[in-house]
Every structure is written in structure tokens, then in C-alpha cells.
Amino acid sequence: MQDTTQAAAGLPTLGLLGIAVAAITILLILIIRVRLHPFFALVIVSIGTALATGISVADLLPTLLGGFGKTLGNVALLIGFGAVLGRLVAVSGGARVLADTLIRFFGSRRAPLGLSIACLLFGFPIFLDAAFVVMLPVIYSVARELKASLLLYGLPAAGAFLVMHALMPPHPGPVAAAVFLHADIGQVLFIALLVGLPTWYAMGYRLSLLLANRSPFQPVPNLMGGESEEIPPGKRPAFGTVLLVLLLPLALIFLNTGLSTLGQGGVIDGDNPLVAALMVIGETPIALLISTCIAMWLLVIRSSERGAMDSINEIVEQALSPVCSIILITGAGGMFGGVLTASGIGDALAESLQAFGLPVILAGYVIASVIRIAQGSATVAGTTAAGIMAPVVLGDPALAGLPAACITVAIVAGAIGYSHVNDSGFWLVGRFLGVDTKTMLKTWTVISTGISLMSFGLAWLVFSLL
């Protein structure tokens, strides 16, 4: 790898930046025009970038596999456990329990708020598209029962899912960005909650209500026949049980971060066996593994008369199958980031940012936003932008710790905004809400843009106060 860096260093800064621009342009062309799968596009562009910057043939494969393997080693477990945890809550009827309880608590007049809070909690471990489809029968039934426009319930629910998908680990964008920037997952969660909760209320809920009230009345479409597979009320888990399995991983991760901070400050002895054991339990993969196993027991095994393990294995298979593509795309994004680091492009970018006086956090947001607008995928935008910014962030010791967590949140904020016709989520939400493209551009696109800008603005504010 030493020879690789020396070879790349022979190119002028302008030449390296030109290669970076060309690489991103080719990547977008392959995904948008050629319609090549992002996984293959990222691998091909990574190889071309490595060779163009002077990385030798002998160093090519180690460079590619180094970035790919390092990223997958951190990301795959988090995404996998998160997907299974969300699936367990969904198939056990926990999502319905969550929504019904909060809607009863808030009353029919504030049902959109109760439904949005339910989606906020349910959206922690499960991806936007899957979570939205699972919650649709609840959204439909509430809109039918209260004889109100579907948008009054559908938009606040989708807005809550979008905030969670955008900012919170174990979703792939925040996890990948945190891995690339060496940001602590617990600190990323802390900043994401600090930024995400006011963003959800202002943009995911309030703005959604405002836009829904300004849109024409939208009846409930008959896309699901009005029914889905229902768990009988007597076999659904208790509200407290659902809340426990959703909040337990958060508590364990924060335990690790808190103990680590106290240990570094000398308040507690970090070498104490009990403290060390608690910190291991709070490591993000372990925390999610423990939470998932507890969810298996509380939501499936305890309520099953027979064949519990067969049911769990089927749930795991159903949960893991859809995320395989996302995991591979994230790994390929790590490969691209590894090439940018080894080639010297990251150092060239750092020098350019310093010369122009452009803040690192703003550069990360802009790069992620441009890639998102161009090709639509939030995962590709987040992983690519984080890979580009990683050498800049890692090269400045002052950006370690909470500043890196803020930059992580800023990058994924850019990656989730500006949803329009090249985003699969745009069509998914529009189809199930039964609205046309013009209405989606006036509502969903505005909501995603508001979420992106506000979460970035708050992340930058926190960053500037550190």
C-alpha cells in the first residue's frame, strides 16, 4: 500500500480532482443511463479510478478488497440484525399494537400525531419501504373510520419513516457513513436524535399536515382489498413489550457510549471487568443481537404453541433476503472510498476545501445532495459521499469524536432529501397513497427537502458549537 500511495502522489492535485469528477460522472451515467445495478457500477468505477490514479496491478485487488471487506465487517451485522428485529415486530402484530395504543391515547382529533409517533418508533429498526407497507393497513383503516383524507395520515406516517431511515443507525446510510468517518455509532445516534426529533415534528409531522390540508381530498384506494394478514388481538404482544424491544438497543448502545466517555475522562476505571463487560454488551452489533434474541423470545417463542423455531427461521429468511442487495452496495461504496483514500484523491480534496475555505460539513452535504438528486438512491448517495469525505475527515484530528458524528448526520441528511421521480421511494409512497405525480412533487418532494435542509442545519449548528 505504501507504493500505491507514492504512485498516486505523483499526480498533481488538479489531475486527481479531475479523475474524481470523471469517476462520479461515469458512475452516474452507468446507474442512470445504462441502468446498471449500483453494485456493479461502483465496483467498475472503483477499478477504473484505481488504475487511472496510478495504483499498480499488484496493489489493485488488495486495495479493492481492503475497502470492501472493512466496510462489510462493520455494516453487515448492523443491517442484518436491524432488519430481523423490525420483521419480528411487524409479523407479531407489534406494529398494529403500537399504532392502536398511541391513536387511542391521542384521540381521533390528533390521530395523525399518534400514528406519526408510532411510525417513528417502528421505523428505528426497519427500512422505510418495508415499514410503510407494514403500517399501510393501519393507515387505511384509520382514514376509513374517521372519514378523512388519506393524506392526513399517510404523509405524517411516511415523514416519520423518512426521518428514521435518513438519520438513525442501523439504517444503511448512517451506518456506512459512520464506518467511513470512524464515528462512534452511539455518538451518531445521540446527534441523530438531537437533530431528528425536532426535524420530525417540524417537517415530518407539521409540514405534512399543512400540505395534506392544502391538497384535494384523497379517498382510501382499494389496493390491498382493505385487508391484510391480521394477528388476532388476543395473540398480539403488549404495548410495553413492543416498546421494550424497540428501545432496548438504543439503551444498550448509549450505555456503551456513556461508559466509554466516563472512562476516557477518568471518572470510572475503564479496565474494571464489570465496566468492560457492560461496554461489550453495548457495542452496536452485540446490542442489536441481544435485542433481536429477546424479541424472538418475547414476540414469537413465548406466544407459539409449537414450531416456534421454524417460524423464527422463516422470519429471519424473509428479513434478510431484501437487505442483501443493500449490504453489497454499501460494501462497494466502501471499496470506492478505499480507492479514493489510497489514490490520494481524498488528500487532494482536503487541500482544495482548505484553499476555497469551504467547511467540511457543508461539502459533505452538497456532495451527497448532488448524487442523490442525480441518481435517486439514498444508499448510493450516502456511501459515495462518505467515501469521498473520509480522507478529509480522518486527516484532521480535530474532527474526531462528536464532530465526525455531526458530519455523518449532515451527509445522510443530504442523501435522503430532494426525492423526485428517480427515487423508488417516491413511487412507492405515491402508489400506496393513490396520488398522482404532480401531487407527490408538491407534497412528498417538499417534505423530503424540508427534512434534509432542517436536519443538516441543526447538525451544522451542533457542529459549530463543539
Side-chain angles (χ1 to χ4, degrees), residues 85-102 104 122 134 229-246 294-304 315:
L85 179 60
R87 185 71 184 174
L88 287 166
V89 175
V91 301
S92 66
R96 182 82 196 209
V97 169
L98 201 62
D100 289 349
T101 303
L102 289 171
R104 280 199 307 270
F122 182 51
V134 168
E229 185 178 349
E230 279 286 326
I231 305 297
K235 292 187 177 181
R236 295 173 189 167
F239 175 72
T241 302
V242 178
L243 212 55
L244 171 66
V245 299
L246 290 177
I294 290 175
M296 288 178 180
W297 169 257
L298 293 176
L299 301 180
V300 180
I301 296 176
R302 195 174 64 168
S303 60
S304 298
I315 291 169

Side-chain angles (χ1 to χ4, degrees), residues 359-371 385 389 407 409-415 417-418 448-449 451-457:
V360 173
I361 191 169
L362 177 59
Y365 176 80
V366 171
I367 292 171
S369 298
V370 169
I371 297 174
M389 296 305 299
I407 296 171
V409 172
I411 287 174
V412 294
Y418 314 100
S448 70
T449 302
I451 289 172
S452 174
L453 290 172
M454 183 171 176
S455 55
F456 166 66

Side-chain angles (χ1 to χ4, degrees), residues 77-95 121-127 134 169-171 241-253 284-300 312 315-320 323:
L77 288 176
L78 306 190
I79 295 176
F81 289 143
V84 174
L85 179 60
R87 185 71 184 174
L88 287 166
V89 175
V91 301
S92 66
L121 293 169
F122 182 51
F124 166 66
I126 191 168
F127 297 167
V134 168
H171 291 280
T241 302
V242 178
L243 212 55
L244 171 66
V245 299
L246 290 177
L247 297 183
L248 180 59
L250 284 173
L252 293 177
I253 293 168
T284 308
I286 305 299
L288 282 168
L289 172 62
I290 292 171
S291 303
T292 304
C293 290
I294 290 175
M296 288 178 180
W297 169 257
L298 293 176
L299 301 180
V300 180
I312 288 175
I315 291 169
V316 170
E317 288 291 337
Q318 292 172 348
L320 293 181
V323 303

Side-chain angles (χ1 to χ4, degrees), residues 209-294:
L209 275 187
L210 177 66
L211 295 174
N213 283 317
R214 290 184 174 181
S215 300
F217 182 92
Q218 179 61 42
V220 179
N222 197 25
L223 295 175
M224 291 183 160
E227 297 291 337
S228 65
E229 185 178 349
E230 279 286 326
I231 305 297
K235 292 187 177 181
R236 295 173 189 167
F239 175 72
T241 302
V242 178
L243 212 55
L244 171 66
V245 299
L246 290 177
L247 297 183
L248 180 59
L250 284 173
L252 293 177
I253 293 168
F254 282 139
L255 173 67
N256 171 274
T257 302
L259 291 175
S260 177
T261 302
L262 293 174
Q264 292 172 3
V267 179
I268 60 175
D269 181 10
D271 295 327
N272 183 287
L274 178 59
V275 173
L278 291 175
M279 289 182 66
V280 169
I281 291 173
E283 290 284 355
T284 308
I286 305 299
L288 282 168
L289 172 62
I290 292 171
S291 303
T292 304
C293 290
I294 290 175

Side-chain angles (χ1 to χ4, degrees), residues 166-210:
L167 305 179
M168 302 292 173
H171 291 280
V175 169
V179 169
F180 294 156
L181 304 184
H182 293 189
D184 179 80
I185 293 291
Q187 292 181 344
V188 172
L189 267 173
F190 172 72
I191 298 297
L193 286 171
L194 196 64
V195 165
L197 291 178
T199 299
W200 156 73
Y201 185 76
M203 297 297 172
Y205 171 63
R206 283 293 179 187
L207 180 60
S208 293
L209 275 187
L210 177 66

